[in-house]
Amino acid sequence: MKKSVLVLLSVMFLCFTACGNSGGDKIASKGQKTNAEKGGSLKSGEESVTEETALTGSFFSMQTAVDSNSGTPIADMLVPDGWTIYGSSRGNICDWMYPIQGYAGVLNPEGTVFVELQTSEHYAMKAESFGTTGVITGQQSVPSQEGENWQEYATYLNYKNASGYLDYFCRSHYGSYEVIRDIDKGNKFAREYQAYVDKISDTELNFARRYFSSNGTISFFKQWSEGTEICRQISFNANGKDYYAELTIPTFGYGMLMRTAYGYAFVNIQNDSWQVPFILVYMAEGKEAFDANYENYKAVSENIRLRKEFADLVMKTSEQIQIQYMKMTQAAIDASIEAGREYNGNASSTMDKVRGMWEDCIKERDEYIREDGSHIKVDMNYDSVYQSGDRYYLGRDGLSPDGWTKLDKAY
């Protein structure tokens, strides 16, 4: 019965964005300057230039990060010229909601700077109390648990808001670290997630009441819901080298109480379900490299497009795990999966929702219309954007490579 309450969560929300350092061998040596290509002699205004003058902007191309394990596209990313795009995944995760995590990133030629997103993580927290009610009252509590539970195919971890999880993540990956500063993003992202988690928790509550209540002996109550975000710059030392990083992490979660009564006896089960929708990490060896590549990082982070193929892979694996590990009738499984699909619509619409949230998270950027009608987001420090095929030139002075198309602003 406890397992049945949780099934819907695995198909109600499948969102991907974010990042984490999936491998410690990406940082090698120091230094990375902005890539620039050579153009021609200077002309005024919006005119193109000849081959003898260096352009002052940066060149990028749109590429796809493909999972090296499954061959599945994870995300489309704007890659600075000379940088390498990569993709990988981690499977066999003790979680029925997100049994696969994807990593998509770009790495500079020297191996000293990278931008990486990590897809969603999900955790649960459960506490039980039981006893009797009436003239004689007794209660025994089972403390909350943490760690992997393969029998239930869930990882239990005490809920952490965005700041708390960022600290947990950094200490787990980097050890001790120092906070440089927090970056205020206006809490727009957190408000989006608060509204979204409220809707998810209400839907889960209604689902539980509909499918698992019987003769009034089982009741469900929503206890809490919260959405938070953090963007923080840190520094740490590893192997005698100083590293600087900026991490963007949102979290959201909610708690639901299931109460079962048998005459004078009762059982209370508090289930807290929470997620880290994505982790985005920008990291560089040395402060100089961090500062020199910061604009490249912003261009990359503002133009990550998640791929439906990877979302479908995770969802399919999740559904297979439900059927294999959840001990319930096939009818209940089908009902929970169908309810989740009806709620989410489909993976594509969910990705559009997350993309919209991501856009709210990013500030101080302009939006331009590509040749195919889609949009590209660029830091406001750039005055103009030019396109040639799948390559882009971001400049500050209105100059462009010869023959490239100047893009119009979307608004």
Side-chain angles (χ1 to χ4, degrees):
M1 182 64 68
K2 301 172 189 176
K3 296 291 293 179
S4 303
V5 179
L6 304 177
V7 175
L8 176 64
L9 287 175
S10 60
V11 290
M12 289 177 60
F13 187 86
L14 190 60
C15 65
F16 301 94
T17 59
C19 66
N21 183 4
S22 63
D25 57 349
K26 294 170 188 160
I27 301 297
S29 58
K30 281 194 175 183
Q32 167 62 15
K33 302 299 182 181
T34 303
N35 294 292
E37 292 193 5
K38 301 296 181 179
S41 70
L42 212 61
K43 293 184 180 180
S44 62
E46 298 294 328
E47 298 179 2
S48 57
V49 297
T50 65
E51 297 181 358
E52 298 176 358
T53 302
L55 299 173
T56 60
S58 302
F59 287 87
F60 298 82
S61 62
M62 189 63 71
Q63 301 180 34
T64 301
V66 177
D67 177 15
S68 59
N69 296 314
S70 66
T72 305
I74 299 175
D76 296 329
M77 305 181 73
L78 195 64
V79 184
D81 273 13
W83 290 44
T84 302
I85 191 170
Y86 62 87
S88 64
S89 66
R90 183 170 67 94
N92 199 31
I93 297 173
C94 187
D95 179 43
W96 40 264
M97 183 176 290
Y98 297 122
I100 302 174
Q101 277 185 343
Y103 304 88
V106 295
L107 178 68
N108 77 330
E110 292 80 7
T112 60
V113 181
F114 70 86
V115 182
E116 183 179 274
L117 72 86
Q118 173 185 305
T119 61
S120 300
E121 298 179 0
H122 167 256
Y123 299 99
M125 197 64 246
K126 181 170 67 177
E128 300 181 11
S129 63
F130 55 91
T132 60
T133 60
V135 178
I136 300 177
T137 302
Q139 180 169 333
Q140 180 180 354
S141 296
V142 177
S144 59
Q145 51 187 291
E146 288 195 332
E148 295 180 341
N149 186 325
W150 286 98
Q151 184 177 359
E152 297 185 358
Y153 220 86
T155 296
Y156 291 95
L157 184 67
N158 285 321
Y159 168 73
K160 304 179 190 330
N161 63 19
S163 179
Y165 186 81
L166 186 145
D167 179 71
Y168 171 83
F169 179 88
C170 290
R171 294 190 185 281
S172 299
H173 287 75
Y174 316 133
S176 61
Y177 69 96
E178 294 185 4
V179 175
I180 299 175
R181 67 184 180 114
D182 286 347
I183 298 175
D184 181 14
K185 291 185 175 296
N187 207 36
K188 288 184 178 180
F189 205 36
R191 287 199 298 270
E192 292 282 351
Y193 269 109
Q194 181 66 62
Y196 192 59
V197 71
D198 283 342
K199 190 172 183 179
I200 287 179
S201 58
D202 290 341
T203 302
E204 165 67 5
L205 186 63
N206 292 335
F207 174 83
R209 286 171 173 168
R210 177 180 177 183
Y211 285 98
F212 301 114
S213 294
S214 174
N215 300 323
T217 61
I218 301 176
S219 54
F220 298 88
F221 310 91
K222 185 172 77 172
Q223 300 294 93
W224 64 277
S225 65
E226 183 177 54
T228 62
E229 66 172 345
I230 188 73
C231 182
R232 176 173 292 169
Q233 291 183 355
I234 67 166
S235 64
F236 64 95
N237 184 276
N239 300 319
K241 298 178 181 179
D242 292 326
Y243 295 100
Y244 292 80
E246 181 173 307
L247 297 90
T248 302
I249 298 179
T251 66
F252 67 85
Y254 66 91
M256 185 174 67
L257 177 67
M258 182 180 77
R259 177 170 296 163
T260 304
Y262 302 97
Y264 287 103
F266 69 87
V267 177
N268 292 332
I269 301 176
Q270 172 72 32
N271 286 300
D272 295 340
S273 181
W274 61 285
Q275 297 187 30
V276 183
F278 67 82
I279 304 173
L280 177 68
V281 174
Y282 166 56
M283 186 177 295
E285 181 185 326
K287 187 66 162 58
E288 181 180 357
F290 182 89
D291 293 339
N293 289 277
Y294 194 79
E295 290 179 357
N296 279 340
Y297 149 63
K298 293 182 70 175
V300 173
S301 66
E302 291 163 2
N303 292 280
I304 298 173
R305 284 169 173 77
L306 306 170
R307 293 292 292 259
K308 179 178 181 295
E309 294 91 332
F310 194 79
D312 289 344
L313 174 64
V314 176
M315 180 177 289
K316 180 179 179 181
T317 306
S318 174
E319 292 180 359
Q320 291 172 344
I321 289 172
Q322 291 177 60
I323 295 173
Q324 180 180 358
Y325 288 92
M326 302 297 182
K327 304 302 182 181
M328 61 174 61
T329 65
Q330 187 63 50
I333 294 176
D334 293 341
S336 67
I337 293 175
E338 182 61 29
R341 284 175 172 165
E342 290 176 2
Y343 175 77
N344 280 314
N346 52 54
S348 178
S349 64
T350 302
M351 303 302 286
D352 290 340
K353 181 185 292 293
V354 175
R355 190 174 302 138
M357 294 176 183
W358 179 263
E359 290 172 353
D360 283 340
C361 183
I362 302 300
K363 298 177 65 177
E364 297 183 351
R365 86 275 190 272
D366 289 322
E367 197 164 335
Y368 293 81
I369 303 175
R370 291 189 176 101
E371 293 177 333
D372 63 1
S374 61
H375 291 185
I376 183 173
K377 304 170 193 65
V378 175
D379 189 275
M380 293 177 64
N381 289 328
Y382 294 108
D383 297 324
S384 53
V385 178
Y386 294 81
Q387 180 177 358
S388 177
D390 63 352
R391 299 188 68 218
Y392 301 87
Y393 172 74
L394 281 56
R396 295 187 179 82
D397 52 10
L399 302 177
S400 72
D402 191 18
W404 288 46
T405 301
K406 185 178 186 295
L407 303 184
D408 294 326
K409 287 187 177 180
Y411 51 86

